Amino acid sequence: MTTASTTTPAVAKAAEAHAAAGGSARAYLGYVTGKLGGAAVSLLAVLVTSFFLFRIIPGDPVKAMTHGQPTSAEQLATLRRQFGLDQPMWQQFTDYCAKALTGDLGTSYQFHAPVGELIVQKVPATLLLTGVAVVIYSSIGLWLGTRSAWRHGSLGDKLNTGVALTLWSVPSFWLGLLLIITFSVGVGPIPGLFPTGGMESGDETGLAYVADVAHHMVLPVITLVAVGYAQTLLVMRSSLLDEMGSDYLTTARAKGLRDDAVRRRHAVPNALLPTVTMVFINLGHVAAGSILVETVFSWPGLGGLFYQALSVPDLPLVQGLFVVFAGAMILMNLLADLLYPLLDPRVGR
């Protein structure tokens, strides 16, 4: 009797803990299912938008394919029939969706090559440029944003915030042009130190090639970092300021923790949710690159390819790039949502 009476509370507590864990797992599973469903709906909306959006662009893609050469009406009709542009709009849409869902993004009017192959060829250059930029400006923005918020009102905070607000409001293409004029062309006593554009000189190999690519990357990376770090800093600063007056920070200080430990262990983790979303969205931008920056610096990536396709307009290529860009954003947003419950257990409960 004594043994049974003493073990019953322990068994009850174990059962309660097991039930709580099961309920928590079911809640998280429901949370994940909802997010996956939302991502699928978003991707479907992207397919619909990509088809109809770019068909309102002025210009005849078939005439653009002829590059201004004299072409008869019969030849134009043959080209329209070859690319399926003579079919009703609804049939073009259903064919497009059916092929896109199987990974077939069509054939480029301009390059006469599969869109998927063209995208794969340009991905490494874009990943290199924007990937390096995202890592640098996310690190700088998080670091400066944390310290600006923790010492809000100080001279350093005012200086960091002022510079960030200024850079955030500057158009990236305009900043890129200023950098080209100043450090590529040269102004006054400042010589031209960097190439005006491109990714490589074309006559280097080995370590010299790596150094050459890094030399070409300096100005476009600085352009992306200057604008991107400002956004990260301001979001992180705002999030941390919202946590500054919380009771749990007062309790942590009352326990004798040093100010640095209070910030690092308690304040920053709770302020990370909005910043995590933004960092993952920036990672989504890695696939898209920066269309304006790549165009200004003639960087041979997806952004420059999108600009070329848009100027024709090359409908399959524009649509394919749009789907890739938006799909990368949806994927990164989904990953951020799935990461939330690990940072804050209250999310998804």
Side-chain angles (χ1 to χ4, degrees):
M1 293 292 292
T2 303
T3 303
S5 62
T6 55
T7 56
T8 299
V11 172
K13 288 182 180 179
E16 290 177 3
H18 181 73
S24 183
R26 286 193 297 272
Y28 183 70
L29 182 60
Y31 173 79
V32 171
T33 303
K35 293 301 179 182
L36 289 174
V41 172
S42 298
L43 187 58
L44 180 61
V46 166
L47 288 176
V48 175
T49 303
S50 65
F51 179 83
F52 291 103
L53 177 64
F54 298 109
R55 275 164 172 72
I56 64 175
I57 300 174
D60 187 345
V62 173
K63 290 184 178 179
M65 282 187 280
T66 63
H67 304 288
Q69 298 177 358
T71 309
S72 66
E74 292 77 9
Q75 291 173 320
L76 291 176
T78 301
L79 286 174
R80 287 192 174 88
R81 186 167 55 256
Q82 178 182 349
F83 289 100
L85 296 176
D86 61 330
Q87 298 174 352
M89 188 67 68
W90 66 267
Q91 188 171 349
Q92 293 184 43
F93 175 68
T94 54
D95 290 345
Y96 164 71
C97 289
K99 291 180 179 179
L101 291 175
T102 61
D104 183 2
L105 298 176
T107 301
S108 168
Y109 299 161
Q110 185 178 7
F111 299 100
H112 303 287
V115 170
E117 291 183 6
L118 294 173
I119 292 175
V120 170
Q121 291 172 6
K122 300 294 184 179
V123 163
T126 290
L127 291 182
L128 176 64
L129 177 65
T130 55
V132 169
V134 166
V135 171
I136 293 174
Y137 72 62
S138 295
S139 303
I140 294 175
L142 288 171
W143 183 68
L144 289 179
T146 299
R147 278 150 183 76
S148 291
W150 205 249
R151 298 179 178 85
H152 65 283
S154 65
L155 178 61
D157 175 39
K158 293 177 181 178
L159 181 62
N160 283 330
T161 305
V163 172
L165 285 171
T166 301
L167 290 175
W168 198 8
S169 63
V170 171
S172 58
F173 73 90
W174 183 78
L175 180 60
L177 289 173
L178 284 183
L179 291 177
I180 289 175
I181 292 171
T182 305
F183 297 106
S184 293
V185 179
V187 175
I190 303 177
L193 301 174
F194 300 99
T196 57
M199 181 177 172
E200 57 183 272
S201 300
D203 54 357
E204 305 290 350
T205 58
L207 291 177
Y209 173 77
V210 175
D212 182 45
V213 172
H215 190 217
H216 284 76
M217 285 177 61
V218 172
L219 294 186
V221 166
I222 289 176
T223 304
L224 292 171
V225 167
V227 178
Y229 108 89
Q231 182 185 17
T232 309
L233 183 152
L234 293 172
V235 171
M236 185 61 195
R237 179 181 180 275
S238 175
S239 300
L240 190 53
L241 283 176
D242 290 340
E243 300 290 332
M244 294 285 286
S246 300
D247 293 337
Y248 69 88
L249 296 184
T250 304
T251 303
R253 292 189 179 95
K255 291 180 178 179
L257 289 178
R258 295 191 312 172
D259 196 59
D260 183 63
V262 173
R263 182 189 72 238
R264 188 178 63 255
R265 297 181 189 176
H266 298 279
V268 171
N270 285 283
L272 275 178
L273 288 185
T275 312
V276 164
T277 300
M278 191 189 59
V279 169
F280 272 87
I281 289 175
N282 290 337
L283 289 175
H285 282 305
V286 170
S290 177
I291 296 173
L292 294 177
V293 172
E294 287 192 6
T295 302
V296 167
F297 288 97
S298 302
W299 190 263
L302 294 177
L305 184 64
F306 185 79
Y307 176 79
Q308 291 179 352
L310 201 60
S311 62
V312 172
D314 189 338
L315 294 180
L317 186 53
V318 170
Q319 291 169 176
L321 287 167
F322 183 81
V323 169
V324 170
F325 296 164
M329 296 294 294
I330 292 171
L331 177 61
M332 290 299 110
N333 229 350
L334 176 63
L335 292 178
D337 288 337
L338 298 181
L339 184 62
Y340 274 0
L342 302 180
L343 298 175
D344 187 348
R346 295 169 297 179
V347 178
R349 299 290 188 242

